[in-house]
Amino acid sequence: GFMGVKEIHHSDAWRADTKIIKDTILPRLKEIDSFLSILDKAIESSGTRDVRALSQVARLQTTILQIVAGFGLAFIVLTILSLQRLVFRPIDSVARALKAEAFGKSGILLPAVRTRETQNLIDAFSEMRKQVHSRQADLEHQALHDALTGLPNRTLLHDRMEQAINVARRDHKNLTLLMIDLDRFKEINDTLGHHVGDNVLKDVGQRLLATLRQIDTVARLGGDEYAILLPDTDITTAVTITKKISKSLDSVFIIDELNLFIKASIGLAEYPSHGKDVATLIQHADVAMYVAKRGQLGFAVYNPRDDDYSIGRLALISDLREALTQKRLKLHYQPKVNLKSENIIGVEALLRWDHPKYGAIPPDQIVTLAEQTGLIDDVTKWVLREAAQQINSWQQQNCLIDISINLSMHNLRNPDLIAFLKSLLSEIPVRPESITLEITESAMMANPKRSLKTLAEISDMSIRLSIDDFGTGFSSLAYLKKLPVTELKIDKSFVMDIIHDENDFAIVKSTIDLAHNLGIEVIAEGVEKQDVYEALKNMNCDAAQGFYISYPLEAKQLVEFMNTEQPVRAKKTI
């Protein structure tokens, strides 16, 4: 049975699923397994192909990345090189050039580049450097040259004198220094205006340059003062050159259709006889120039004897203030005579200073010193007060004498003048009509509008006004007829030679007629001879003043002079 069961068990009779599995499913599973094996192989083959393709793609990407990276690196290198060539190097060159300019070095060439921005930077720096050099040259020129005339200034003159002295010392040669000062230039400047004065100074510089050699130096030291350095020139040759300079300046200057005549005072000092250094030569040439100016010589060569006067002049400047406070100044009075009645109609107050060391100091020098020390207003106030007190003293002696007092341009500019005159008249009991203030044409024309206002206020106080030195300035008839003046004084330069000079005669005669037509009296100054005195009478001149009539007198002498019964013409010797 066992065997039977075993047989049955091993057969397919007792289980149908076994048969199905065996006959149907297992073959199918084998097919499926075979298919799956094929599919697996196919998948494996496809995966291998995909991996191979991906590998190729990766290699391609790597190659592309390497190429891109290579191009990137190459671009970066080229960019850096380009920036180095086109930007960094030019900027470095500009920086080095700037540094060199800062340390005073120049001449560094800047490269030319193609980039617009960098080239603009280089161009901007080049232009800046050009302008800096130009301005530096201008500043150096301005530091060493006069701004108005373009001539060398005092600094450059000193430098050239040092060089010229060294050359002269080495070669045993001479050189000469000329100091030039224009006479009466201040009058032109104040009367006609600074623009006319400036043009005169320019023309003077040009005339000096045209007269001299190229190796000579013409310098303007300031104001109307010039200096000329003549290398390799002795004093004899320098005198000849000085005469040529004076002749060149004698010709008329035509400025704004005005004919102006300029004179110059020139001082000469020679190396080595008059000085062996710059300061000494300048000082001695200046002393000689002042001697020429004081003596109206045109030019003068330095003389050691003149040093005492120059030093004395400096001492006078410091002594004037003390003389004013210590009442060492005094007034002298020169009579003015009516030419018809030959009676004294007044006197002119003339300032005197009897210096204990230098003797009598002339009025014009006192006024110049007062202007230089700033004491002109104090001196004028002292003169006005002294004159008013003298008038009052004479009135108490029943001696009625009018006094004329000179005012300068500085006085007219002083805003306190009117107040002082009012205070003086209230303090000292004198007739205002007994005071005459003399003002030069130049002083009035320096500022005509202001002068008209000031003179009108003075006239309102009944103080008489006179135009002094008429004919020597540049007065305008349009202003003359407006001025509240009662008299004018013809300058002695026209009066003294009317007998022998037809031009002077015509000027004096026409001036008298003009003044009379304007209702103004005329006084002639500088009457020193009888024939001049008689000629003025024949011209119907109103009054005269001069040494022929009388020298300036002290107050007591004047009273005695007036009390004599002799005619005026016999009193001149007193």
Side-chain angles (χ1 to χ4, degrees):
F2 173 76
M3 293 303 293
V5 172
K6 182 178 177 181
E7 183 179 356
I8 294 170
H9 176 71
H10 286 281
S11 66
D12 294 331
W14 66 286
R15 286 186 60 184
D17 60 333
T18 302
K19 183 174 177 53
I20 293 171
I21 290 171
K22 180 178 179 181
D23 295 336
T24 303
I25 293 175
L26 287 176
R28 293 292 180 93
L29 286 176
K30 289 180 180 179
E31 291 179 0
I32 290 171
D33 184 63
S34 176
F35 178 77
L36 289 175
S37 296
I38 294 171
L39 181 61
D40 184 61
K41 290 180 180 180
I43 290 173
E44 183 179 359
S45 177
S46 176
T48 301
R49 289 194 303 272
D50 290 343
V51 170
R52 189 179 297 111
L54 288 174
S55 297
Q56 292 178 350
V57 170
R59 286 194 296 270
L60 180 62
Q61 288 179 342
T62 301
T63 302
I64 293 173
L65 288 175
Q66 289 176 346
I67 294 173
V68 170
F71 278 112
L73 289 175
F75 177 76
I76 292 173
V77 171
L78 290 175
T79 301
I80 292 175
L81 292 176
S82 299
L83 289 174
Q84 182 74 14
R85 178 174 176 272
L86 301 177
V87 179
F88 297 145
R89 287 180 182 175
I91 291 178
D92 180 65
S93 299
V94 172
R96 285 187 288 107
L98 281 172
K99 186 177 180 180
E101 291 291 336
F103 285 97
K105 300 178 181 178
S106 59
I108 296 180
L109 297 177
L110 296 177
V113 296
R114 297 179 180 179
T115 56
R116 185 177 61 183
E117 292 78 4
T118 308
Q119 187 62 47
N120 288 340
L121 175 63
I122 293 175
D123 293 342
F125 172 75
S126 299
E127 181 64 25
M128 181 194 71
R129 180 166 63 179
K130 179 181 177 182
Q131 292 184 8
V132 168
H133 287 170
S134 176
R135 292 178 183 176
Q136 185 177 1
D138 290 341
L139 289 174
E140 290 177 356
H141 186 274
Q142 293 174 11
L144 298 175
H145 292 79
D146 174 56
L148 177 64
T149 63
L151 297 174
N153 60 13
R154 188 182 297 271
T155 302
L156 185 54
L157 174 68
H158 281 219
D159 182 66
R160 292 186 179 178
M161 285 185 66
E162 290 281 3
Q163 297 178 23
I165 288 174
N166 291 334
V167 173
R169 183 183 297 114
R170 182 193 64 196
D171 298 339
H172 304 287
K173 293 183 177 181
N174 304 85
L175 65 85
T176 304
L177 177 68
L178 277 61
M179 297 292 286
I180 303 175
D181 186 81
L182 303 182
D183 300 336
R184 302 184 68 181
F185 172 76
K186 188 175 186 299
E187 184 175 319
I188 294 176
N189 211 33
D190 293 337
T191 304
L192 300 179
H194 291 284
H195 69 286
V196 174
D198 289 347
N199 288 332
V200 169
L201 294 174
K202 293 177 184 178
D203 285 359
V204 168
Q206 292 302 314
R207 292 192 185 188
L208 294 177
L209 288 173
T211 308
L212 301 172
R213 306 167 297 179
Q214 290 186 349
I215 63 171
D216 302 329
T217 296
V218 180
R220 181 179 176 230
L221 306 184
D224 59 344
E225 190 175 10
Y226 295 81
I228 297 177
L229 174 63
L230 303 175
D232 193 15
T233 306
D234 59 21
I235 197 66
T236 303
T237 306
V239 168
T240 303
I241 295 173
T242 300
K243 292 178 180 178
K244 291 175 57 179
I245 292 172
S246 298
K247 186 177 180 180
S248 71
L249 297 179
D250 284 342
S251 302
V252 63
F253 287 78
I254 302 176
I255 308 294
D256 292 347
E257 299 182 353
L258 295 172
N259 293 338
L260 305 177
F261 292 91
I262 302 297
K263 295 289 185 180
S265 297
I266 306 176
L268 292 79
E270 181 192 37
Y271 170 89
S273 57
H274 298 152
K276 298 182 179 180
D277 58 80
V278 173
T280 303
L281 283 173
I282 291 177
Q283 178 184 354
H284 290 171
D286 195 59
V287 169
M289 182 269 293
Y290 185 76
V291 170
K293 195 176 191 70
R294 174 168 54 92
Q296 297 182 353
L297 304 175
F299 71 91
V301 178
Y302 170 73
N303 189 321
R305 292 194 301 266
D306 297 327
D307 277 338
D308 292 337
Y309 185 86
S310 179
I311 296 172
R313 178 171 171 268
L314 295 176
L316 286 177
I317 294 177
S318 61
D319 290 345
L320 180 59
R321 187 182 300 274
E322 182 181 356
L324 184 62
T325 57
Q326 298 296 327
K327 298 182 179 180
R328 295 175 184 170
L329 302 177
K330 59 183 178 180
L331 294 180
H332 283 194
Y333 306 92
Q334 186 172 36
K336 297 185 290 186
V337 172
N338 185 293
L339 288 175
K340 293 182 179 179
S341 65
E342 296 194 340
N343 293 325
I344 294 176
I345 59 174
V347 296
E348 180 180 358
L350 299 173
L351 188 59
R352 291 291 186 267
W353 179 18
D354 190 11
H355 195 280
K357 181 177 179 181
Y358 301 105
I361 309 299
D364 57 345
Q365 188 173 348
I366 298 175
V367 172
T368 301
L369 292 172
E371 291 176 347
Q372 292 175 349
T373 56
L375 291 175
I376 186 63
D377 289 323
D378 293 335
V379 170
T380 301
K381 289 178 181 179
W382 180 88
V383 172
L384 289 168
R385 185 179 299 278
E386 188 74 12
Q389 290 174 347
Q390 187 60 63
I391 293 173
N392 183 49
S393 176
W394 282 335
Q395 287 177 353
Q396 294 176 6
Q397 302 175 40
N398 295 322
C399 182
L400 302 180
I401 304 177
D402 298 341
I403 295 182
S404 297
I405 303 157
N406 291 282
L407 292 185
S408 73
M409 182 190 315
H410 297 274
N411 300 136
L412 286 181
R413 293 175 178 173
N414 185 2
D416 299 330
L417 176 62
I418 302 301
F420 175 79
L421 290 173
K422 291 180 179 179
S423 174
L424 183 66
L425 292 176
S426 63
E427 177 185 343
I428 302 175
V430 296
R431 296 177 300 106
E433 298 85 355
S434 63
I435 299 176
T436 300
L437 299 182
E438 297 185 4
I439 304 100
T440 63
E441 294 176 89
S442 301
M444 288 185 293
M445 297 307 296
N447 191 335
K449 293 184 178 179
R450 182 172 180 176
S451 297
L452 282 173
K453 180 177 181 298
T454 301
L455 296 178
E457 293 180 12
I458 294 175
S459 180
D460 290 342
M461 288 184 273
S462 299
I463 295 176
R464 291 163 54 87
L465 294 169
S466 173
I467 300 178
D468 193 17
D469 298 337
F470 187 82
T472 61
F474 305 90
S475 60
S476 168
L477 295 179
Y479 281 104
L480 179 60
K481 68 180 183 180
K482 295 179 182 179
L483 293 171
V485 298
T486 56
E487 68 177 35
L488 61 84
K489 301 179 72 174
I490 304 177
D491 187 71
K492 63 182 180 181
S493 62
F494 299 105
V495 173
M496 297 177 68
D497 203 29
I498 58 174
I499 302 300
H500 306 290
D501 192 316
E502 294 180 357
N503 292 329
D504 285 348
F505 184 93
I507 290 173
V508 172
K509 184 66 171 67
S510 60
T511 301
I512 293 172
D513 294 339
L514 171 65
H516 286 169
N517 290 334
L518 295 174
I520 300 175
E521 297 180 357
V522 180
I523 298 177
E525 296 182 298
V527 180
E528 299 183 359
K529 298 178 181 179
Q530 181 177 354
D531 53 0
V532 174
Y533 183 90
E534 297 297 336
L536 290 170
K537 288 181 65 175
N538 295 331
M539 291 182 192
N540 294 321
C541 185
D542 298 294
Q545 175 184 346
F547 294 160
Y548 174 73
I549 299 167
S550 174
Y551 290 96
L553 304 170
E554 295 185 11
K556 183 179 179 180
Q557 292 176 319
L558 180 66
V559 174
E560 295 174 354
F561 176 78
M562 294 182 62
N563 289 335
T564 60
E565 296 181 357
Q566 296 174 332
V568 167
R569 282 168 290 179
K571 299 175 183 177
K572 63 182 184 301
T573 57
I574 297 181

